[in-house]
Amino acid sequence: MFTGLIEHLGTVTDIVHDAGGCTLVIADSAPILGDCHVGDSIAVNGACLTVTEFDKQEKGGWFKVWLANETLDRTDLGERKVGDQVNLERAMGAHVRFGGHFVQAHVDTTATIVDKKPDGDSLRILFQLPEPTPERPSLLQYLIPKGYVAIDGTSLTITSVDDANRTFGVMLITHTQEKITLPKKPIGSKVNIEVDMVGKFVEKSVQAALSGGGGPLRSLVEKVVEDVLVKKGLVQ
């Protein structure tokens, strides 16, 4: 579990592709490696990856992760190049403040930056989701104004949603712009998107109740419908 509060920016120093996936080495990462162990989880641009090797001192501190083809297909990590910076966050500790929102670092899809506009010292960025497919349904139902979304692993508040154009927007204050990679990405770049998992749980629970699964939620919905019909005089 992660919070979406980026701890550090690392630098990609080595990339090795093969038929099974890809290995990344991320350097300049010493500030997050002090308590690192092989097998730990680190979110890289919002994707939860397992540390397979690391060194706390060489190259400013580096660690190696393995990306399966599923991860390469779901994220923008396969497009990273040597020298690119990436957002890094360690898995949340039970003793720390929870400042962002519940982030699993299980990327749902990528979106494309379609517009960037300064707004005073802040920066407004507009994203477009891909066309939905049977394999990858639309995520728009999980995006609401003032709701949460994780973009490249960063917990951000949604400022606008346009269902017809499959777009949504966020605003970055100056502090956030200095701590993450997103402001440096040009229009046309891809970003990793993880929608709020709470919305997914609510949707599944409602679907189960309304499909005849029974349980307290179905009873509650039936009671609400009955009350509305009574108030309209349609039943007695």
Side-chain angles (χ1 to χ4, degrees), residues 186-204:
I187 291 174
S189 298
K190 289 183 180 179
V191 295
N192 297 328
I193 301 296
E194 180 187 336
V195 297
D196 188 0
M197 66 178 181
V198 174
K200 296 179 182 179
F201 286 129
V202 171
E203 180 185 52
K204 187 169 184 178

Side-chain angles (χ1 to χ4, degrees), residues 199-214 217-218 221:
K200 296 179 182 179
F201 286 129
V202 171
E203 180 185 52
K204 187 169 184 178
S205 296
V206 172
Q207 287 178 343
L210 297 181
S211 64
L217 182 56
R218 181 178 179 83
V221 172

Side-chain angles (χ1 to χ4, degrees), residues 174-189:
T174 302
H175 175 79
T176 304
Q177 293 177 51
E178 296 170 350
K179 299 296 182 179
I180 64 176
T181 60
L182 182 55
K184 304 170 187 176
K185 287 190 170 184
I187 291 174
S189 298

Side-chain angles (χ1 to χ4, degrees), residues 8-14 24-31 33 55 58-64 84-86 88:
H8 188 67
L9 296 180
T11 304
V12 177
T13 58
D14 190 50
L24 291 182
V25 175
I26 300 170
D28 300 325
S29 302
L33 297 178
D55 186 291
E58 189 180 55
K59 300 179 183 177
W62 62 266
F63 67 98
K64 181 183 291 187
D84 284 354
Q85 287 190 308
V86 288
L88 303 177

Side-chain angles (χ1 to χ4, degrees), residues 14-90:
D14 190 50
I15 305 171
V16 178
H17 288 271
D18 63 28
C22 172
T23 296
L24 291 182
V25 175
I26 300 170
D28 300 325
S29 302
I32 66 163
L33 297 178
D35 58 354
C36 186
H37 300 85
V38 170
D40 281 357
S41 295
I42 295 179
V44 179
N45 271 10
C48 180
L49 302 174
T50 301
V51 175
T52 58
E53 296 179 41
F54 71 97
D55 186 291
K56 296 180 182 180
Q57 296 182 332
E58 189 180 55
K59 300 179 183 177
W62 62 266
F63 67 98
K64 181 183 291 187
V65 290
W66 167 255
L67 288 74
N69 285 327
E70 168 68 12
T71 304
L72 294 173
D73 186 47
R74 287 271 180 178
T75 72
D76 75 336
L77 291 175
E79 300 177 7
R80 295 306 95 218
K81 299 178 177 63
V82 170
D84 284 354
Q85 287 190 308
V86 288
N87 297 329
L88 303 177
E89 183 191 356
R90 290 170 290 184

Side-chain angles (χ1 to χ4, degrees), residues 105-118:
H106 297 163
V107 176
D108 291 298
T109 190
T110 57
T112 303
I113 299 174
V114 294
D115 194 28
K116 298 172 68 176
K117 291 181 180 177

